[in-house]
Amino acid sequence: MRKLALTALAITGFFITSVKAQQHDDVTKTPPQVVLTKLLNTASLKNQEVKMVLVTFEPGEVSPGHRHPIPTFAYVIEGEFESTFDGKVYHYKAGDAFYEEPNKLHGSTKNLSKTKPVKLLAVFIGDKGKPFIAPE
């Protein structure tokens, strides 16, 4: 799994030069901003799409339940938050990275600060055109 995470981060780093901003209505007050979408057609990744998404949780914000239909890799850029995923509570802070399996319930995410936002970069890899988030 660590090799897959490193591969995903290497792929996204390679394609960062073609950054493209888009917005989607989702589960946070500040809509997640897609900063890169790239279709992959290599021998091992046929018709797979990589999306890099900047996610911001406002101070004290708590997101409602949702699922990610495709694998999720994330890196915390700033802040500290609590995440309930697949029934377990996790704590993340700036500099942490994590992986979430597809379709498991992301019960909630809570920004633990009342004054500072949380920002994370999420990387999704899945079939072309498949959404990266589905409200519960």
Side-chain angles (χ1 to χ4, degrees), residues 4-110:
L4 182 60
L6 291 173
T7 300
L9 289 175
I11 289 169
T12 57
F14 178 77
F15 293 112
I16 194 96
T17 56
S18 62
V19 172
K20 177 178 153 187
Q22 298 178 2
Q23 288 192 344
H24 294 268
D25 293 326
D26 288 302
V27 297
T28 56
K29 289 179 186 175
T30 301
Q33 181 181 23
V34 177
V35 295
L36 171 75
T37 299
K38 177 66 180 167
L39 181 62
L40 302 175
N41 274 311
T42 66
S44 61
L45 294 168
K46 287 285 185 199
N47 210 33
Q48 296 294 290
E49 192 170 60
V50 174
K51 282 192 173 142
M52 292 176 65
V53 180
L54 182 60
V55 181
T56 301
F57 292 93
E58 298 299 326
E61 183 176 1
V62 179
S63 73
H66 60 278
R67 297 178 191 269
H68 298 287
I70 56 181
T72 305
F73 302 87
Y75 176 77
V76 183
I77 298 168
E78 67 181 74
E80 186 175 351
F81 65 98
E82 177 181 282
S83 176
T84 303
F85 182 76
D86 196 28
K88 296 178 185 173
V89 177
Y90 299 89
H91 290 87
Y92 299 109
K93 63 185 179 322
D96 288 345
F98 58 94
Y99 168 76
E100 294 178 346
E101 291 184 39
N103 295 313
K104 303 249 179 165
L105 179 62
H106 200 144
S108 69
T109 300
K110 179 181 181 181

